[in-house]
Amino acid sequence: MDLQLSGRVAVVTGASKGIGLAVTRTLLEEGAQVVAASRGSSPELDALAGPDLVHVPADLTDPEAPGLVVARATEVFGGLDILVNNAGGPPPGVSLPRMSFLTPTDDDWRAMFEFNLFSAVRAIRAAIPAMLARGGGAIVNVSSGGARRPAPMNVDYNAAKAGMNNLTKALSEEFASRGIRVNTVSPGPVRTAWWTEEGGAADILAGVTGTDRDTVMDDVAPEMMALTTGRLVEPREVADVVALLVSPRSASTTGADFAVDSGFLKEI
């Protein structure tokens, strides 16, 4: 299927690894020009270097950073058609999961919302005028299955992502008539650095369950989260859905939430 993305300009946040890296790679493969934003680059992102990729170092918890990233896209590639708000998860220096509502402090809540909601709000605020100047565009906000399945674990993260879902619906209502579509993709547990890095979710759960990192990812987590497929999601699987949603082939899809979660979300 031709996704008709050749020559379109995209900003992808959190692009150096995990889902963001997979989205960046997929959009480049489909012919898009990509501004990849992240605090630092990575060998995997560097390997994608070429005339259609620009990396912008940015700490997206800085209120000025999202606007500067969007401005860089218009400066280098002449406009903006696509925004993928992928940056999120544990704020810098934080390890998840947290097991109880009583664990995060006020500062923890603020940091979680800055990274997982407010950075997207600011990026969207900067992107909409640039998209309107091109006659429209597509925004995908990367949310989480936890936004629709509340639980005591990671309660601050889930609340921020629930806000993301609400924001997406509101934006889709306001801007669809002006050519901007806004959707969410809600992954379940994805085999990314959040899980795999030392001190990450797999190590934390291994300590709780008395197992090891690989056993958590291969067996414990899929069973604990009742994943129908029996395995964690791969980043490319999320990226493929994002690419379809930002494509003109999805011209009638807006205000929707797509679960890519190995069957985590059971509710209708």
Coordinates of all heavy atoms in Angstrom, one line a residue, residues 45-146:
L45 N 19.6 5.9 15.7 CA 19.1 7.1 15.0 C 20.2 7.6 14.0 O 19.9 8.0 12.9 CB 18.7 8.2 16.0 CG 18.1 9.5 15.4 CD1 16.9 9.2 14.6 CD2 17.8 10.5 16.5
D46 N 21.5 7.6 14.5 CA 22.5 8.1 13.6 C 22.6 7.3 12.3 O 23.0 7.8 11.3 CB 23.9 8.0 14.4 CG 24.0 9.1 15.5 OD1 23.2 10.0 15.5 OD2 24.8 8.9 16.4
A47 N 22.3 6.0 12.4 CA 22.4 5.1 11.3 C 21.3 5.5 10.2 O 21.5 5.1 9.1 CB 22.1 3.7 11.7
L48 N 20.3 6.3 10.6 CA 19.3 6.7 9.6 C 19.7 8.0 8.9 O 18.9 8.5 8.1 CB 18.0 6.8 10.3 CG 17.4 5.6 11.0 CD1 16.1 6.0 11.7 CD2 17.2 4.5 10.0
A49 N 20.8 8.6 9.2 CA 21.2 9.9 8.7 C 21.1 10.0 7.2 O 21.4 9.0 6.5 CB 22.6 10.2 9.2
G50 N 20.6 11.1 6.8 CA 20.5 11.4 5.3 C 19.9 12.7 5.1 O 19.5 13.4 6.1
P51 N 19.6 13.1 3.9 CA 19.1 14.4 3.6 C 17.7 14.6 4.1 O 17.2 15.8 4.2 CB 19.2 14.5 2.1 CG 19.2 13.1 1.6 CD 20.0 12.4 2.7
D52 N 16.9 13.6 4.4 CA 15.5 13.7 4.8 C 15.4 13.6 6.3 O 14.2 13.5 6.8 CB 14.7 12.6 4.1 CG 14.5 12.8 2.6 OD1 14.6 14.0 2.2 OD2 14.4 11.8 1.9
L53 N 16.5 13.6 7.0 CA 16.4 13.5 8.5 C 17.2 14.5 9.2 O 18.4 14.7 8.8 CB 16.9 12.1 9.0 CG 17.0 11.9 10.5 CD1 15.6 11.9 11.1 CD2 17.7 10.6 10.8
V54 N 16.6 15.3 10.1 CA 17.3 16.2 10.9 C 17.0 15.9 12.4 O 15.9 15.7 12.8 CB 16.9 17.7 10.6 CG1 17.5 18.7 11.6 CG2 17.2 18.1 9.2
H55 N 18.1 15.8 13.2 CA 17.9 15.6 14.6 C 18.0 16.9 15.3 O 19.0 17.7 15.1 CB 19.0 14.6 15.2 CG 18.9 14.4 16.6 ND1 19.9 14.9 17.5 CD2 17.9 13.9 17.4 CE1 19.5 14.6 18.7 NE2 18.3 14.0 18.7
V56 N 17.1 17.2 16.2 CA 17.1 18.4 17.0 C 17.2 17.9 18.5 O 16.3 17.3 19.0 CB 15.8 19.2 16.8 CG1 15.8 20.4 17.7 CG2 15.7 19.6 15.4
P57 N 18.3 18.2 19.1 CA 18.5 17.9 20.6 C 17.5 18.8 21.3 O 17.5 20.0 21.2 CB 19.9 18.3 20.9 CG 20.6 18.3 19.6 CD 19.6 18.8 18.6
A58 N 16.7 18.2 22.2 CA 15.6 19.0 22.9 C 15.2 18.2 24.1 O 14.9 17.0 24.1 CB 14.4 19.2 22.0
D59 N 15.1 19.0 25.2 CA 14.5 18.5 26.5 C 13.1 19.0 26.4 O 12.8 20.1 26.7 CB 15.3 19.0 27.7 CG 14.6 18.6 29.0 OD1 13.6 17.9 29.0 OD2 15.1 19.0 30.1
L60 N 12.2 18.1 26.1 CA 10.8 18.5 25.9 C 10.0 18.9 27.2 O 8.9 19.4 27.1 CB 10.0 17.4 25.2 CG 10.5 17.2 23.7 CD1 10.0 16.0 23.1 CD2 10.2 18.4 22.9
T61 N 10.7 18.8 28.3 CA 10.1 19.3 29.6 C 10.4 20.8 29.7 O 9.8 21.5 30.5 CB 10.6 18.6 30.8 OG1 12.0 18.7 30.9 CG2 10.3 17.1 30.7
D62 N 11.3 21.3 28.8 CA 11.5 22.8 28.8 C 10.4 23.4 28.0 O 10.1 23.0 26.8 CB 12.9 23.0 28.0 CG 13.1 24.5 27.8 OD1 12.3 25.3 28.1 OD2 14.2 24.8 27.3
P63 N 9.6 24.3 28.5 CA 8.4 24.8 27.9 C 8.7 25.4 26.5 O 7.9 25.5 25.6 CB 7.9 25.9 28.8 CG 8.4 25.5 30.2 CD 9.7 24.8 29.9
E64 N 10.0 25.9 26.2 CA 10.3 26.5 25.0 C 10.6 25.4 23.9 O 10.6 25.7 22.7 CB 11.5 27.4 25.1 CG 11.3 28.5 26.1 CD 10.1 29.4 25.7 OE1 9.9 29.7 24.5 OE2 9.3 29.9 26.6
A65 N 11.0 24.2 24.3 CA 11.6 23.3 23.4 C 10.6 22.8 22.3 O 11.0 22.7 21.1 CB 12.1 22.1 24.2
P66 N 9.4 22.4 22.6 CA 8.5 22.0 21.5 C 8.4 23.0 20.4 O 8.4 22.6 19.2 CB 7.2 21.7 22.2 CG 7.6 21.4 23.6 CD 8.7 22.3 23.9
G67 N 8.2 24.2 20.7 CA 8.1 25.3 19.7 C 9.3 25.4 18.8 O 9.2 25.6 17.6
L68 N 10.5 25.3 19.5 CA 11.7 25.3 18.7 C 11.9 24.2 17.8 O 12.4 24.3 16.7 CB 12.9 25.4 19.7 CG 13.0 26.6 20.6 CD1 14.1 26.5 21.6 CD2 13.2 27.9 19.7
V69 N 11.4 23.0 18.2 CA 11.5 21.8 17.3 C 10.6 22.0 16.0 O 11.0 21.8 14.9 CB 11.1 20.6 18.0 CG1 11.0 19.4 17.1 CG2 12.1 20.2 19.1
V70 N 9.4 22.5 16.2 CA 8.5 22.8 15.1 C 9.1 23.8 14.2 O 9.0 23.7 13.0 CB 7.1 23.2 15.6 CG1 6.2 23.7 14.5 CG2 6.4 22.0 16.3
A71 N 9.6 24.9 14.8 CA 10.2 26.0 14.0 C 11.4 25.4 13.2 O 11.6 25.9 12.0 CB 10.7 27.1 14.9
R72 N 12.1 24.5 13.7 CA 13.2 23.9 12.9 C 12.7 23.1 11.7 O 13.3 23.2 10.6 CB 14.0 22.9 13.9 CG 15.2 22.3 13.2 CD 16.3 23.3 13.0 NE 17.6 22.7 12.6 CZ 18.4 23.2 11.7 NH1 18.2 24.4 11.2 NH2 19.5 22.6 11.4
A73 N 11.6 22.4 11.9 CA 11.0 21.7 10.7 C 10.6 22.7 9.6 O 10.9 22.4 8.4 CB 9.8 20.9 11.2
T74 N 10.0 23.8 10.0 CA 9.6 24.7 8.9 C 10.8 25.4 8.3 O 10.8 25.7 7.1 CB 8.6 25.8 9.5 OG1 9.2 26.5 10.6 CG2 7.3 25.1 10.0
E75 N 11.8 25.6 9.1 CA 13.0 26.3 8.6 C 13.8 25.4 7.6 O 14.2 25.8 6.5 CB 14.0 26.6 9.8 CG 15.3 27.1 9.4 CD 16.3 27.2 10.6 OE1 15.8 27.2 11.7 OE2 17.5 27.3 10.3
V76 N 13.9 24.1 8.0 CA 14.7 23.2 7.1 C 13.9 22.6 5.9 O 14.4 22.6 4.8 CB 15.2 22.0 8.0 CG1 15.9 21.0 7.1 CG2 16.2 22.5 9.1
F77 N 12.6 22.3 6.2 CA 11.9 21.6 5.1 C 10.7 22.4 4.6 O 10.0 21.9 3.7 CB 11.4 20.2 5.7 CG 12.4 19.2 6.0 CD1 12.5 18.7 7.3 CD2 13.4 18.9 5.0 CE1 13.5 17.7 7.6 CE2 14.4 17.9 5.3 CZ 14.4 17.4 6.6
G78 N 10.5 23.6 5.1 CA 9.6 24.5 4.5 C 8.2 24.4 5.0 O 7.3 25.1 4.5
G79 N 7.9 23.6 6.0 CA 6.5 23.5 6.5 C 6.4 22.3 7.4 O 7.4 21.7 7.8
L80 N 5.2 22.0 7.7 CA 4.9 20.8 8.6 C 3.6 20.2 8.2 O 2.6 20.9 8.1 CB 4.9 21.3 10.1 CG 4.7 20.1 11.1 CD1 5.9 19.2 11.1 CD2 4.5 20.7 12.5
D81 N 3.6 18.9 8.1 CA 2.4 18.1 7.7 C 2.0 17.1 8.8 O 0.8 16.8 8.9 CB 2.6 17.3 6.4 CG 3.0 18.2 5.3 OD1 2.2 19.1 4.9 OD2 4.2 18.1 4.8
I82 N 2.9 16.7 9.6 CA 2.7 15.5 10.5 C 3.4 15.8 11.8 O 4.5 16.3 11.9 CB 3.3 14.2 9.9 CG1 2.6 13.8 8.7 CG2 3.3 13.1 11.0 CD1 3.3 12.8 7.8
L83 N 2.7 15.6 12.9 CA 3.3 15.6 14.3 C 3.0 14.3 15.0 O 1.8 14.0 15.1 CB 2.7 16.8 15.1 CG 3.1 16.9 16.5 CD1 4.6 17.1 16.7 CD2 2.4 18.0 17.2
V84 N 4.0 13.7 15.5 CA 3.9 12.5 16.3 C 4.4 12.8 17.7 O 5.6 12.9 17.9 CB 4.6 11.3 15.7 CG1 4.4 10.0 16.6 CG2 4.1 11.0 14.3
N85 N 3.5 13.0 18.6 CA 3.9 13.2 20.0 C 4.1 11.9 20.7 O 3.2 11.3 21.3 CB 2.8 14.0 20.7 CG 2.8 15.5 20.4 OD1 3.9 16.1 20.5 ND2 1.7 16.0 20.0
N86 N 5.4 11.4 20.6 CA 5.7 10.1 21.2 C 6.4 10.2 22.5 O 6.4 9.3 23.3 CB 6.6 9.3 20.2 CG 7.2 8.2 20.8 OD1 6.6 7.1 21.2 ND2 8.5 8.3 21.1
A87 N 7.2 11.4 22.7 CA 7.9 11.5 24.0 C 7.0 11.3 25.2 O 6.0 11.8 25.3 CB 8.6 12.9 24.0
G88 N 7.5 10.4 26.1 CA 6.7 10.2 27.3 C 7.3 9.0 28.0 O 8.3 8.5 27.7
G89 N 6.5 8.5 29.0 CA 7.0 7.4 29.8 C 7.6 8.0 31.1 O 7.2 9.1 31.5
P90 N 8.5 7.3 31.7 CA 9.2 7.8 32.9 C 9.9 9.1 32.6 O 10.7 9.2 31.7 CB 10.2 6.7 33.3 CG 9.7 5.5 32.6 CD 9.0 6.0 31.3
P91 N 9.7 10.2 33.4 CA 10.5 11.4 33.2 C 12.0 11.1 33.4 O 12.3 10.1 34.1 CB 9.9 12.4 34.2 CG 8.6 11.8 34.5 CD 8.7 10.4 34.4
P92 N 12.9 12.0 32.9 CA 14.3 11.7 33.1 C 14.6 11.5 34.6 O 14.2 12.2 35.5 CB 14.9 13.0 32.6 CG 13.9 13.5 31.6 CD 12.6 13.2 32.1
G93 N 15.4 10.4 34.8 CA 15.8 10.1 36.2 C 14.8 9.3 37.0 O 15.1 9.0 38.2
V94 N 13.7 8.9 36.4 CA 12.6 8.2 37.1 C 12.5 6.8 36.6 O 12.6 6.6 35.4 CB 11.2 8.9 36.9 CG1 10.1 8.1 37.5 CG2 11.3 10.3 37.6
S95 N 12.3 5.8 37.5 CA 12.0 4.5 37.1 C 10.6 4.1 37.4 O 10.1 4.4 38.5 CB 13.0 3.5 37.8 OG 14.3 3.7 37.4
L96 N 9.9 3.4 36.5 CA 8.6 2.9 36.7 C 8.6 1.4 36.6 O 9.5 0.9 35.9 CB 7.6 3.5 35.7 CG 7.4 5.0 35.8 CD1 6.4 5.5 34.7 CD2 6.9 5.5 37.1
P97 N 7.7 0.6 37.2 CA 6.4 1.1 37.8 C 6.6 1.6 39.2 O 7.5 1.2 40.0 CB 5.6 -0.1 37.7 CG 6.5 -1.3 37.9 CD 7.8 -0.8 37.1
R98 N 5.6 2.4 39.6 CA 5.3 2.8 41.0 C 4.1 2.0 41.4 O 3.1 1.9 40.6 CB 5.1 4.2 41.2 CG 6.3 5.1 40.9 CD 5.9 6.6 41.1 NE 7.0 7.5 41.0 CZ 7.1 8.5 40.1 NH1 6.0 8.8 39.4 NH2 8.1 9.3 40.1
M99 N 4.1 1.4 42.5 CA 3.1 0.4 42.9 C 1.8 0.9 43.5 O 0.8 0.2 43.7 CB 3.7 -0.7 43.7 CG 4.8 -1.4 43.1 SD 4.4 -2.2 41.6 CE 6.0 -3.0 41.1
S100 N 1.9 2.2 44.0 CA 0.7 2.7 44.8 C 0.5 4.2 44.6 O 1.5 4.9 44.3 CB 1.0 2.5 46.3 OG 0.1 3.2 47.1
F101 N -0.7 4.6 44.7 CA -1.0 6.0 44.7 C -0.2 6.9 45.7 O 0.1 8.0 45.4 CB -2.5 6.2 44.9 CG -2.9 7.7 45.2 CD1 -3.0 8.6 44.2 CD2 -3.2 8.0 46.5 CE1 -3.4 9.9 44.5 CE2 -3.5 9.3 46.9 CZ -3.6 10.3 45.8
L102 N 0.1 6.2 46.8 CA 0.8 7.0 47.9 C 2.3 7.2 47.6 O 2.9 8.0 48.3 CB 0.7 6.2 49.2 CG -0.8 6.0 49.7 CD1 -0.8 5.2 51.0 CD2 -1.4 7.4 50.0
T103 N 2.8 6.6 46.5 CA 4.2 6.7 46.2 C 4.6 8.0 45.6 O 5.5 8.7 46.1 CB 4.7 5.5 45.3 OG1 4.3 4.3 46.0 CG2 6.2 5.6 45.1
P104 N 4.0 8.5 44.5 CA 4.5 9.7 43.9 C 4.1 11.0 44.7 O 3.0 11.1 45.3 CB 3.7 9.7 42.6 CG 2.5 8.9 42.7 CD 3.0 7.8 43.7
T105 N 5.1 11.9 44.8 CA 4.9 13.2 45.5 C 4.3 14.2 44.5 O 4.1 13.9 43.3 CB 6.2 13.7 46.0 OG1 7.1 14.0 44.9 CG2 6.9 12.6 46.9
D106 N 4.0 15.4 45.1 CA 3.6 16.5 44.2 C 4.5 16.7 43.1 O 4.2 16.9 41.9 CB 3.3 17.8 45.0 CG 2.0 17.8 45.8 OD1 1.3 16.7 45.7 OD2 1.8 18.8 46.4
D107 N 5.8 16.7 43.4 CA 6.9 17.0 42.4 C 6.8 15.8 41.3 O 7.1 16.1 40.1 CB 8.2 17.1 43.0 CG 8.4 18.4 43.7 OD1 7.7 19.3 43.5 OD2 9.4 18.5 44.6
D108 N 6.6 14.6 41.8 CA 6.5 13.5 40.8 C 5.4 13.7 39.9 O 5.5 13.4 38.7 CB 6.4 12.2 41.6 CG 7.6 11.8 42.4 OD1 8.7 12.1 41.9 OD2 7.4 11.1 43.4
W109 N 4.2 14.1 40.4 CA 3.1 14.3 39.6 C 3.3 15.4 38.5 O 3.0 15.3 37.4 CB 1.8 14.7 40.4 CG 1.1 13.5 41.0 CD1 1.4 12.9 42.1 CD2 0.0 12.9 40.4 NE1 0.5 11.8 42.3 CE2 -0.4 11.8 41.3 CE3 -0.8 13.1 39.3 CZ2 -1.5 11.0 41.1 CZ3 -1.9 12.2 39.0 CH2 -2.2 11.2 39.9
R110 N 4.0 16.5 39.0 CA 4.3 17.6 38.1 C 5.2 17.2 37.0 O 5.0 17.5 35.8 CB 4.9 18.8 38.9 CG 3.9 19.5 39.8 CD 4.6 20.7 40.4 NE 3.7 21.3 41.5 CZ 4.0 21.1 42.8 NH1 5.0 20.4 43.2 NH2 3.2 21.6 43.7
A111 N 6.2 16.4 37.3 CA 7.2 16.0 36.3 C 6.5 15.0 35.3 O 6.8 15.1 34.1 CB 8.4 15.3 37.0
M112 N 5.6 14.2 35.8 CA 4.9 13.2 34.9 C 4.1 14.0 33.9 O 4.0 13.6 32.7 CB 4.1 12.3 35.8 CG 3.5 11.1 35.0 SD 4.8 10.0 34.3 CE 5.4 9.2 35.8
F113 N 3.3 15.0 34.4 CA 2.4 15.7 33.5 C 3.2 16.6 32.6 O 2.8 16.8 31.4 CB 1.4 16.5 34.3 CG 0.2 15.8 34.6 CD1 0.2 14.7 35.4 CD2 -1.1 16.1 34.0 CE1 -1.0 13.9 35.7 CE2 -2.2 15.4 34.3 CZ -2.2 14.3 35.1
E114 N 4.3 17.2 33.0 CA 5.2 18.0 32.1 C 5.6 17.2 30.9 O 5.6 17.6 29.8 CB 6.4 18.5 32.9 CG 6.1 19.7 33.7 CD 5.9 21.0 32.9 OE1 6.1 21.0 31.7 OE2 5.4 22.0 33.5
F115 N 6.1 15.9 31.2 CA 6.7 15.1 30.2 C 5.6 14.4 29.3 O 5.8 14.4 28.1 CB 7.6 14.0 30.8 CG 8.5 13.3 29.9 CD1 9.1 14.0 28.8 CD2 8.8 12.0 30.0 CE1 9.9 13.3 27.9 CE2 9.6 11.3 29.2 CZ 10.2 12.0 28.1
N116 N 4.6 14.0 29.9 CA 3.6 13.1 29.2 C 2.4 13.9 28.7 O 1.7 13.3 27.8 CB 3.2 12.0 30.1 CG 4.2 10.9 30.3 OD1 4.4 10.1 29.4 ND2 5.0 11.0 31.3
L117 N 2.1 15.1 29.1 CA 1.0 15.8 28.6 C 1.4 17.2 28.1 O 1.1 17.6 27.0 CB -0.1 15.9 29.7 CG -1.4 16.6 29.2 CD1 -2.0 16.0 28.0 CD2 -2.4 16.7 30.4
F118 N 2.0 18.0 29.0 CA 2.2 19.4 28.7 C 3.2 19.5 27.5 O 3.1 20.5 26.7 CB 2.8 20.2 29.9 CG 1.8 20.2 31.0 CD1 2.2 20.4 32.3 CD2 0.4 20.1 30.8 CE1 1.4 20.4 33.4 CE2 -0.5 20.1 31.9 CZ 0.0 20.3 33.2
S119 N 4.2 18.6 27.3 CA 5.1 18.7 26.2 C 4.3 18.6 24.9 O 4.6 19.2 23.9 CB 6.2 17.7 26.3 OG 5.7 16.4 26.2
A120 N 3.3 17.7 24.9 CA 2.5 17.5 23.7 C 1.6 18.7 23.5 O 1.4 19.1 22.3 CB 1.6 16.2 23.9
V121 N 1.0 19.2 24.5 CA 0.2 20.4 24.4 C 1.0 21.5 23.7 O 0.5 22.2 22.7 CB -0.3 20.9 25.7 CG1 -0.9 22.3 25.7 CG2 -1.3 19.9 26.3
R122 N 2.2 21.7 24.1 CA 3.0 22.8 23.6 C 3.4 22.5 22.1 O 3.5 23.4 21.3 CB 4.2 23.0 24.4 CG 3.9 23.6 25.8 CD 5.0 23.5 26.8 NE 4.6 23.9 28.1 CZ 5.0 23.4 29.3 NH1 5.8 22.3 29.3 NH2 4.6 23.9 30.4
A123 N 3.7 21.3 21.8 CA 4.1 20.9 20.5 C 2.9 21.1 19.5 O 3.1 21.6 18.4 CB 4.6 19.5 20.4
I124 N 1.7 20.7 20.0 CA 0.5 20.9 19.1 C 0.2 22.4 18.9 O -0.1 22.8 17.8 CB -0.7 20.2 19.8 CG1 -0.5 18.7 19.8 CG2 -2.0 20.5 19.1 CD1 -1.4 17.9 20.7
R125 N 0.4 23.2 20.0 CA 0.1 24.6 19.9 C 1.0 25.3 18.8 O 0.6 26.1 18.1 CB 0.3 25.3 21.3 CG 0.0 26.7 21.3 CD 0.3 27.3 22.7 NE -0.5 26.8 23.7 CZ 0.0 26.4 24.9 NH1 1.3 26.4 25.2 NH2 -0.8 25.9 25.8
A126 N 2.3 24.8 18.8 CA 3.2 25.3 17.8 C 2.9 24.8 16.4 O 3.1 25.4 15.4 CB 4.6 25.0 18.2
A127 N 2.5 23.5 16.3 CA 2.3 22.8 15.0 C 1.1 23.3 14.3 O 1.1 23.3 13.0 CB 2.2 21.3 15.3
I128 N 0.0 23.6 14.9 CA -1.3 23.9 14.3 C -1.2 25.0 13.3 O -1.6 24.9 12.1 CB -2.4 24.0 15.3 CG1 -2.8 22.7 15.8 CG2 -3.6 24.8 14.6 CD1 -3.9 22.7 16.9
P129 N -0.6 26.2 13.6 CA -0.5 27.2 12.6 C 0.3 26.8 11.4 O 0.0 27.2 10.3 CB 0.2 28.4 13.4 CG -0.1 28.1 14.8 CD -0.1 26.6 15.0
A130 N 1.4 26.0 11.6 CA 2.2 25.6 10.5 C 1.4 24.6 9.6 O 1.5 24.7 8.4 CB 3.5 24.9 11.0
M131 N 0.6 23.8 10.2 CA -0.2 22.9 9.4 C -1.3 23.6 8.7 O -1.6 23.3 7.5 CB -0.8 21.8 10.3 CG 0.2 20.8 10.9 SD -0.6 19.5 11.9 CE 0.8 18.5 12.2
L132 N -1.9 24.6 9.3 CA -3.0 25.3 8.7 C -2.4 26.1 7.4 O -3.1 26.2 6.4 CB -3.6 26.3 9.6 CG -4.5 25.7 10.8 CD1 -4.9 26.8 11.7 CD2 -5.6 24.9 10.2
A133 N -1.2 26.5 7.6 CA -0.6 27.2 6.4 C -0.4 26.3 5.2 O -0.3 26.8 4.1 CB 0.8 27.8 6.9
R134 N -0.4 25.0 5.5 CA -0.2 24.0 4.4 C -1.6 23.4 4.0 O -1.6 22.5 3.1 CB 0.7 22.9 4.8 CG 2.1 23.3 5.3 CD 3.1 23.2 4.3 NE 3.7 21.8 4.2 CZ 4.8 21.5 3.6 NH1 5.5 22.5 3.0 NH2 5.2 20.3 3.5
G135 N -2.6 23.9 4.6 CA -3.9 23.4 4.2 C -4.4 22.2 5.1 O -5.5 21.6 4.8
G136 N -3.6 21.8 6.1 CA -4.0 20.7 7.0 C -2.9 19.9 7.4 O -1.7 20.2 7.1
G137 N -3.2 18.8 8.1 CA -2.1 17.9 8.6 C -2.7 16.8 9.4 O -3.9 16.7 9.5
A138 N -1.8 16.1 10.0 CA -2.2 14.9 10.9 C -1.4 14.9 12.1 O -0.1 15.0 12.1 CB -2.1 13.6 10.1
I139 N -2.0 14.7 13.3 CA -1.3 14.6 14.5 C -1.7 13.2 15.1 O -2.9 12.8 15.2 CB -1.8 15.7 15.5 CG1 -1.4 17.1 14.9 CG2 -1.2 15.5 16.9 CD1 -2.0 18.3 15.7
V140 N -0.7 12.5 15.6 CA -0.9 11.3 16.4 C -0.2 11.5 17.7 O 1.0 11.8 17.8 CB -0.3 10.1 15.7 CG1 -0.4 8.9 16.6 CG2 -1.1 9.8 14.4
N141 N -1.0 11.3 18.8 CA -0.5 11.4 20.2 C -0.4 9.9 20.7 O -1.4 9.2 20.6 CB -1.5 12.2 21.0 CG -1.6 13.6 20.6 OD1 -0.6 14.2 20.3 ND2 -2.8 14.2 20.6
V142 N 0.8 9.6 21.1 CA 1.0 8.2 21.6 C 0.6 8.2 23.1 O 1.2 8.9 24.0 CB 2.5 7.8 21.5 CG1 2.7 6.4 22.1 CG2 2.9 7.8 20.0
S143 N -0.5 7.5 23.4 CA -1.1 7.4 24.7 C -0.7 6.1 25.3 O 0.4 5.7 25.2 CB -2.6 7.6 24.6 OG -3.2 7.6 25.9
S144 N -1.6 5.5 26.0 CA -1.3 4.2 26.7 C -2.7 3.5 27.0 O -3.7 4.1 27.2 CB -0.6 4.4 28.0 OG -0.6 3.3 28.8
G145 N -2.6 2.2 27.0 CA -3.8 1.4 27.4 C -4.2 1.8 28.8 O -5.4 1.7 29.2
G146 N -3.2 2.2 29.7 CA -3.5 2.6 31.0 C -4.4 3.8 31.1 O -5.1 4.0 32.2

